């Protein structure tokens, strides 16, 4: 069975041109490239989240409370054997309460892993669904709500340093976000053309089998959340030389 997960962010991830060189924002302090690197990043992490969640136009970082995304698509096979779900013009809510809980930065391998806890994450938007959720057929369109509690996420990325006009800049080469959650709730208005009995039965089924529903929707949700971390890091790293981010 083929699986396609796609999302589109309103603000493209294209970075600020390298030709423009800026200092780190005053709410982000450079850390030293020594044994204190991870503890330094962790110490200032929450203050940075509190600031960045409201955006910073200078670095092309949008307001992330909520983060607006134009489309998320889950396509698993066809309408007979898989789920086809599209959520349009939706917002991701809850990032302002995120906590930075762990940092593992390997400058030699150019590999970074950051851990975050988001107490409550909500995805609200317009959905179109067809096919099957697990074993049951589903169809409908209307307002949708996907809510996850206690989201423990790890954003992993590899990078390289690109030299521009004599300065090294960080450029992400691979990236991935993985997460787990203590609970998932899905609510969709107008399931089965408003047939309440069928709609209630589907919601009950998804509540009882929420862990399996996470497996179906999780990769698309992870991509959407990961795009936010990539946007922030890319747009800052493309204008701030690496030596100003991590000092010797």
């Amino acid at each position: 069975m083929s699986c396609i997960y796609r999302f589109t962010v309103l603000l493209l991830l294209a970075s600020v041109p390298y030709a423009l060189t800026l200092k780190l924002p005053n709410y982000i302090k450079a850390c030293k490239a020594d044994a204190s690197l991870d503890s330094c990043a962790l110490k200032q992490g929450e203050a940075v989240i509190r600031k960045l969640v409201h955006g910073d136009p200078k670095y092309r970082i949008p307001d992330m409370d909520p983060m607006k995304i134009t489309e998320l698509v889950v396509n698993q096979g066809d309408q007979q054997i898989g789920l086809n779900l599209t959520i349009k013009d939706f917002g991701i809510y809850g990032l302002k309460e995120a906590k930075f809980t762990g940092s593992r930065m390997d400058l030699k391998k150019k590999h970074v892993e950051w851990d975050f806890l988001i107490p409550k994450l909500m995805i609200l938007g317009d959905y179109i669904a067809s096919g099957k959720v697990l074993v049951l057929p589903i169809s409908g369109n209307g307002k949708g709500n996907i809510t996850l509690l206690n989201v423990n996420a790890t954003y992993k990325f590899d990078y390289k340093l690109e030299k521009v006009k004599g300065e090294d800049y960080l450029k992400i080469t691979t990236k991935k976000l993985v997460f787990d959650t203590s609970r998932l709730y899905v609510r969709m208005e107008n399931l089965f053309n408003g047939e309440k009995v069928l709609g209630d039965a589907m919601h009950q089924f998804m509540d009882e089998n929420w862990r399996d529903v996470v497996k179906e929707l999780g990769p698309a949700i992870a991509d959407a959340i990961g795009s936010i971390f990539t946007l922030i890091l890319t747009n800052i790293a493309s204008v701030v030389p690496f030596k100003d981010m991590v000092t010797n």
Side-chain angles (χ1 to χ4, degrees):
M1 181 186 299
S2 63
C3 299
I4 301 173
Y5 305 101
R6 185 176 74 248
F7 63 92
T8 306
V9 183
L10 273 174
L11 180 62
L12 297 179
L13 296 183
S15 61
V16 181
Y18 281 118
L20 177 63
T21 299
L22 300 174
K23 296 293 185 182
L24 275 177
N26 57 14
Y27 48 86
I28 302 179
K29 306 299 181 185
C31 291
K32 290 185 177 181
D34 58 21
S36 69
L37 180 61
D38 287 320
S39 60
C40 172
L42 195 58
K43 182 177 181 180
Q44 63 167 314
E46 288 202 31
V48 172
I49 290 173
R50 297 293 173 267
K51 181 68 177 179
L52 285 180
V53 76
H54 298 295
D56 190 331
K58 186 175 181 179
Y59 297 87
R60 291 183 63 198
I61 297 171
D63 189 334
M64 293 179 285
D65 185 29
M67 181 68 184
K68 295 292 188 179
I69 298 182
T70 56
E71 185 178 70
L72 181 149
V73 175
V74 179
N75 186 343
Q76 296 179 311
D78 56 37
Q79 292 187 8
Q80 282 69 47
I81 62 175
L83 172 66
N84 293 281
L85 172 67
T86 299
I87 306 176
K88 291 182 174 289
D89 299 324
F90 66 96
I92 297 179
Y93 297 77
L95 295 174
K96 66 181 179 180
E97 302 301 331
K99 299 182 185 299
F100 188 22
T101 58
S103 175
R104 295 170 298 284
M105 304 171 68
D106 190 325
L107 300 182
K108 290 183 178 180
K109 294 182 179 180
K110 295 183 173 60
H111 179 78
V112 176
E113 297 186 4
W114 288 331
D115 302 327
F116 299 87
L117 169 63
I118 308 171
K120 184 177 182 179
L121 189 75
M122 297 177 64
I123 297 174
L124 305 179
D126 298 318
Y127 83 92
I128 302 171
S130 62
K132 290 185 178 181
V133 172
L134 305 180
V135 298
L136 292 186
I138 186 173
S139 65
N141 63 85
K143 297 295 182 182
N145 180 337
I146 299 174
T147 298
L148 302 97
L149 302 182
N150 300 313
V151 177
N152 284 289
T154 298
Y155 180 65
K156 308 175 182 181
F157 68 93
D158 296 296
Y159 68 91
K160 65 180 180 180
L161 296 179
E162 284 194 346
K163 193 171 291 293
V164 180
K165 295 184 178 180
E167 297 283 8
D168 286 327
Y169 291 84
L170 180 150
K171 183 175 182 179
I172 296 175
T173 55
T174 66
K175 59 189 181 297
K176 183 178 182 179
L177 185 137
V178 295
F179 75 91
D180 60 35
T181 178
S182 67
R183 191 67 165 88
L184 170 77
Y185 297 94
V186 179
R187 290 295 178 268
M188 297 177 174
E189 296 179 3
N190 198 44
L191 279 173
F192 306 105
N193 294 318
E195 289 286 345
K196 187 177 186 305
V197 173
L198 292 176
D200 288 349
M202 174 57 72
H203 285 137
Q204 181 179 347
F205 175 79
M206 288 191 288
D207 282 345
E208 293 173 350
N209 298 275
W210 67 268
R211 291 181 180 84
D212 292 318
V213 177
V214 169
K215 293 177 182 178
E216 291 212 355
L217 300 182
I221 294 172
D223 277 351
I225 300 172
S227 73
I228 298 170
F229 291 102
T230 301
L231 183 149
I232 293 171
L233 182 58
T234 298
N235 282 350
I236 292 178
S238 63
V239 294
V240 178
F242 188 72
K243 66 178 178 58
D244 293 334
M245 301 171 66
V246 179
T247 64
N248 293 319

